[in-house]
Amino acid sequence: MKVTLSAVDTYETSFTPLVVIELAQDVKEETKEWLKSRIVAKKKDGGAQLLFRPLLNKQEKETLGNKENLYLVGASGLRLLLGAEAVGLVRECTDGTMRAFTYDTRRSFRGFHDDNDDFLTMAECQFIVKHELENLRAREERMIPGYPHAKLYPGKSILRRLLTSGIVLQVFPLHDHEALRKLEDAWYTRFSLHYQPIDSIRSYFGETIALYFGFLEYFTFALIPMAIIGLPYYLFVWEDYDKYVVFASFNLTWSTVILEVWKRSCADMTYRWGTLVMKRQFEEPRPGFHGVLGVNPVTGREEPLYPSYKRQLRIYLVSLPFVCLCLYFSLYIMMIYFDLEDWALSVHQESGTEWTGVLLYVPSVIYAIVIEIMNRLYRCAAEFLTAWENHRLESAYQNHLVLKVLVFNFLNCFASLFYIAFVLKDMKLLGQSLATLLITSQVINQILESLLPYWLQKKHSMKVKRKVQALKVDMDASLYKQVLLEKEMGTYLGTFDDYLELFLQFGYVSLFSCVYPLAAAFAVLNNFTEVSSDALKMCRVFKRPFSEPSASIGVWQLAFETMSVISVVTNCALIGMSPQVNAVFPESKTELVLIVVAVEHALLALKFILAFAIPDKPRHIQVKLARLEFESLEALKQQSTRRNENSGEKQQKLP
């Protein structure tokens, strides 16, 4: 007999807290009771059928003098298994194939036993709980009880409305300290050169974060050949022509091959994790999406509707001019930087002391700091603008945000290098500016992203520990202490900034590294420390993020590939500008330009041929995916045949 959600009892003696919900301190009691009833109610009654309890009972809150509204959410083992089926989790079967988990066929999956509580990882359990909470939808309610201004309509996500109304302050998953300690020991606590435990990271944090760390590790090792080849170029004085041609040619092949090989490695990992064959669900409207209530023609549900022409008007009449204005401002700041460079050079030429020699680097350092400040300010403005554009889907919101940020960051970080290379044609200044921008940005990112948050978090942890130790009450305060510590931690905002940092680093290495061969070496050194600092902030600085299934690094793959195409044009232009190449064509500059353009087109053609020749997925993965598709089609045919046979039998029975 098929088990349905209606048969699941929400009562379970061993309550394992998975998720914390923090309500505002002044939330009304009727609101709390209504929210609790919706969370624990059965699915057939419109509930989430989860386990729900306060962190502290009334007596404990009075004893501790605690006025915070903190609640724990969990789920029974059966409820989690049925939830895994609902979200489409894919697991390995005993025959070695990867299939979507179903409760009826649970014993055909590898590692499943009736008494096995570890079949689903804690990250997967928390993802299921989050999915169920987000899909709690209003039915007959027209407002949140106790808050007439917080309107509801049928089909509206209750949790999202509570968050936007300020009734729910935050929802976050709890850390598992025993599993976290094991992960830290294998990951970053011991200083040694070893591969990261990517599968363990995936089990604890989910596929999206595991893919970032996998890409960071892969990109770091891919930089090592560039770093090794770049060292002799820097140490020995070779002819510029040899340096440019050989190093740039290797650069172009390297940038193409590493991105194509990464796609194969990514497909291999995500197939093993099950996300490569995970069916994509219909995307729900993002939390900030608003409009006039109507019926979605695809789902038939009531939801806000917003005309696309209004969104396009906002994009082209407001967002686009604002981005162009920011780009102009960035170029204006760049020209001020060159004025400072001229001033520092004139001072050095007049006096020629050691101090004025150091002064030559000051404008570049100041400009690098200004670039970082402008990037962060623009990021805030881009997020506001993209939210104001009112995109219905989270994927559309992310794509528009990434496009805005990448365009500005590319111009802000690389415009000065292009100006030095192709307008001033000063290769010595180009190498100096590239080194200063690269090293300064790496130092600033390490301080702001990891060291400063870690120091602030340590200070907060000491305060909470002293507060808990001062309590003289007869109760187990370990869970209370954990929740207090974690609720004040910073919220990890996703891998956007981490990928952006790698994208800019890839640009520094691939665009102009032939004039500064040590760029790859500095990038390798930075990334070795970046692995540990990023691991530290994930484990100790930020709240545990919810697991998110991913099959690739998404739009960032396209961003890196676009940068590699630009690098072809840049390196070909640098080769064409070298004195040795110009000496071959002393009279006809037109012929030189035509030859450089022809070589550039030939290299681009070679690049696309390599991209086509290297399959995105390994052969064994292609075969497995094709077999899964064939079996799915055969199953559909059998179902159709059975329906036709049943229909024929019913017609024969009719008089």
Side-chain angles (χ1 to χ4, degrees):
M1 185 181 85
K2 182 177 177 60
V3 177
T4 62
L5 285 172
S6 301
V8 181
D9 191 358
T10 56
Y11 174 77
E12 188 169 89
T13 54
S14 58
F15 180 91
T16 302
L18 297 171
V19 174
V20 176
I21 298 178
E22 182 181 8
L23 304 180
Q25 290 189 14
D26 57 350
V27 172
K28 299 177 181 178
E29 287 298 325
E30 61 177 312
T31 309
K32 297 179 187 177
E33 291 301 320
W34 170 76
L35 177 61
K36 177 182 178 181
S37 65
R38 292 303 306 270
I39 290 176
V40 303
K42 294 188 175 182
K43 291 287 285 186
K44 66 178 183 179
D45 299 325
Q49 213 157 343
L50 299 172
L51 304 171
F52 184 84
R53 80 173 195 195
L55 173 64
L56 302 174
N57 58 38
K58 188 175 181 180
Q59 181 181 357
E60 290 171 339
K61 289 185 72 172
E62 291 176 354
T63 304
L64 298 174
N66 189 299
K67 297 181 180 180
E68 294 172 312
N69 290 312
L70 295 166
Y71 293 86
L72 306 174
V73 183
S76 65
L78 178 57
R79 178 69 185 87
L80 290 172
L81 291 176
L82 294 173
E85 179 179 346
V87 300
L89 288 184
V90 175
R91 283 304 187 91
E92 184 181 5
C93 296
T94 52
D95 60 359
T97 60
M98 304 295 294
R99 300 182 187 280
F101 176 81
T102 60
Y103 185 79
D104 289 341
T105 60
R106 60 192 181 279
R107 289 183 175 82
S108 64
F109 289 88
R110 191 182 301 277
F112 181 85
H113 304 287
D114 288 329
D115 56 348
N116 183 10
D117 295 331
D118 298 328
F119 178 70
L120 297 175
T121 66
M122 188 175 183
E124 289 172 334
C125 295
Q126 290 167 337
F127 171 69
I128 292 167
V129 170
K130 177 198 173 195
H131 176 269
E132 297 299 336
L133 289 174
E134 288 183 338
N135 281 277
L136 267 178
R137 302 193 175 275
R139 305 184 87 182
E140 295 82 12
E141 304 99 330
R142 298 297 174 183
M143 65 175 188
I144 295 176
Y147 295 87
H149 65 279
K151 302 295 183 183
L152 290 173
Y153 52 82
K156 174 68 176 176
S157 172
I158 291 174
L159 182 62
R160 291 177 178 179
R161 190 69 184 95
L162 290 168
L163 286 166
T164 55
S165 301
I167 299 170
V168 171
L169 299 181
Q170 59 179 332
V171 179
F172 62 92
L174 280 171
H175 275 293
D176 180 349
H177 286 298
E178 183 178 351
L180 183 63
R181 196 175 300 109
K182 292 179 181 178
L183 176 61
E184 288 176 319
D185 289 340
W187 195 1
Y188 71 92
T189 54
R190 291 174 294 180
F191 182 77
S192 61
L193 294 178
H194 58 84
Y195 290 105
Q196 296 179 91
I198 300 297
D199 287 334
S200 299
I201 298 171
R202 175 253 170 181
S203 296
Y204 194 84
F205 289 111
E207 290 79 14
T208 298
I209 292 173
L211 279 175
Y212 162 70
F213 281 101
F215 182 74
L216 173 60
E217 178 180 272
Y218 172 83
F219 182 56
T220 303
F221 281 103
L223 282 168
I224 291 177
M226 285 285 289
I228 293 174
I229 294 175
L231 285 173
Y233 275 98
Y234 184 80
L235 296 175
F236 302 105
V237 180
W238 288 1
E239 291 294 326
D240 289 346
Y241 176 73
D242 298 332
K243 182 187 293 185
Y244 284 162
V245 172
V246 178
F247 198 80
S249 299
F250 179 80
N251 194 339
L252 299 178
T253 307
W254 169 83
S255 63
T256 301
V257 171
I258 65 163
L259 293 176
E260 293 303 315
V261 174
W262 162 252
K263 284 195 270 190
R264 294 170 60 86
S265 301
C266 181
D268 196 29
M269 279 193 298
T270 52
Y271 178 82
R272 189 173 70 251
W273 296 341
T275 52
L276 188 64
V277 296
M278 193 172 179
K279 292 182 179 179
R280 187 177 180 182
Q281 296 179 325
F282 181 80
E283 284 194 77
E284 299 289 342
R286 51 183 298 272
F289 179 66
H290 59 271
V292 179
L293 184 63
V295 178
N296 187 304
V298 178
T299 63
R301 298 173 182 165
E302 283 191 291
E303 66 176 46
L305 300 179
Y306 188 77
S308 60
Y309 78 88
K310 289 186 178 181
R311 183 180 303 111
Q312 298 301 320
L313 287 175
R314 290 186 174 191
I315 291 173
Y316 291 110
L317 296 183
V318 179
S319 296
L320 183 59
F322 176 79
V323 172
C324 293
L325 180 64
C326 291
L327 296 178
Y328 172 78
F329 181 73
S330 174
L331 293 176
Y332 181 77
I333 296 295
M334 181 189 74
M335 298 312 297
I336 295 176
Y337 155 66
F338 285 118
D339 290 339
L340 288 175
E341 283 282 2
D342 292 338
W343 171 78
L345 182 60
S346 63
V347 171
H348 178 65
Q349 289 175 346
E350 289 177 3
S351 60
T353 63
E354 293 182 0
W355 289 106
T356 57
V358 174
L359 184 64
L360 291 174
Y361 292 91
V362 172
S364 296
V365 173
I366 294 175
Y367 184 53
I369 296 173
V370 170
I371 284 176
E372 291 296 322
I373 294 173
M374 291 172 62
N375 285 344
R376 295 176 189 278
L377 291 176
Y378 176 82
R379 168 72 184 277
C380 297
E383 289 177 345
F384 174 80
L385 269 180
T386 310
W388 178 72
E389 289 167 4
N390 198 27
H391 297 278
R392 178 185 178 274
L393 302 180
E394 184 66 27
S395 58
Y397 170 84
Q398 290 295 334
N399 289 339
H400 281 79
L401 177 61
V402 168
L403 180 61
K404 288 186 184 72
V405 173
L406 286 187
V407 168
F408 181 81
N409 277 259
F410 181 83
L411 186 75
N412 199 31
C413 295
F414 300 116
S416 62
L417 301 179
F418 279 100
Y419 185 83
I420 295 171
F422 302 116
V423 178
L424 301 180
K425 299 181 180 179
D426 188 341
M427 297 303 152
K428 182 178 179 181
L429 179 59
L430 178 61
Q432 174 188 315
S433 298
L434 174 61
T436 306
L437 289 174
L438 176 63
I439 296 171
T440 305
S441 64
Q442 289 177 346
V443 172
I444 291 174
N445 285 326
Q446 291 283 3
I447 293 173
L448 294 182
E449 291 184 6
S450 300
L451 297 181
L452 181 61
Y454 180 71
W455 179 71
L456 293 174
Q457 180 58 32
K458 288 289 287 184
K459 288 187 65 177
H460 171 71
S461 299
M462 293 301 296
K463 289 181 181 179
V464 173
K465 288 177 181 178
R466 285 195 294 266
K467 180 180 178 181
V468 173
Q469 289 172 356
L471 297 175
K472 297 180 179 180
V473 292
D474 186 19
M475 61 172 286
D476 182 12
S478 58
L479 181 59
Y480 173 68
K481 173 184 173 183
Q482 179 185 354
V483 174
L484 282 188
L485 280 171
E486 293 185 20
K487 84 179 187 69
E488 297 298 334
M489 286 181 171
T491 301
Y492 183 64
L493 300 177
T495 55
F496 186 98
D497 289 325
D498 298 315
Y499 278 119
L500 180 61
E501 185 180 346
L502 291 180
F503 172 78
L504 296 176
Q505 186 185 92
F506 180 69
Y508 286 128
V509 172
S510 62
L511 292 177
F512 300 105
S513 63
C514 60
V515 298
Y516 186 68
L518 283 183
F522 278 115
V524 170
L525 293 175
N526 174 78
N527 288 357
F528 274 124
T529 59
E530 185 80 14
V531 169
S532 297
S533 62
D534 283 353
L536 175 68
K537 74 181 182 183
M538 292 302 307
C539 295
R540 294 296 172 184
V541 175
F542 293 118
K543 295 184 185 75
R544 182 179 188 174
F546 280 104
S547 169
E548 288 292 339
S550 295
S552 68
I553 62 174
V555 70
W556 291 103
Q557 180 77 35
L558 177 61
F560 278 87
E561 290 172 353
T562 303
M563 180 68 83
S564 68
V565 171
I566 298 174
S567 71
V568 173
V569 181
T570 303
N571 283 278
C572 286
L574 289 172
I575 292 172
M577 289 170 53
S578 65
Q580 289 80 3
V581 174
N582 278 266
V584 180
F585 304 93
E587 298 178 356
S588 177
K589 298 301 180 184
T590 303
E591 186 178 354
L592 171 61
V593 172
L594 291 175
I595 290 177
V596 170
V597 171
V599 171
E600 174 247 324
H601 279 62
L603 288 172
L604 283 176
L606 174 63
K607 179 180 178 62
F608 290 120
I609 289 172
L610 281 172
F612 178 78
I614 302 175
D616 292 349
K617 300 179 180 67
R619 177 63 182 168
H620 69 281
I621 299 295
Q622 294 179 23
V623 172
K624 291 176 180 178
L625 292 176
R627 192 170 78 177
L628 281 176
E629 185 177 359
F630 172 76
E631 291 176 354
S632 298
L633 291 174
E634 288 296 308
L636 288 174
K637 288 180 183 178
Q638 292 176 5
Q639 290 179 3
S640 178
T641 302
R642 283 196 294 268
R643 281 197 299 266
N644 292 335
E645 290 175 352
N646 293 334
S647 177
E649 291 176 359
K650 289 180 180 178
Q651 289 180 357
Q652 290 178 0
K653 292 179 181 179
L654 292 174

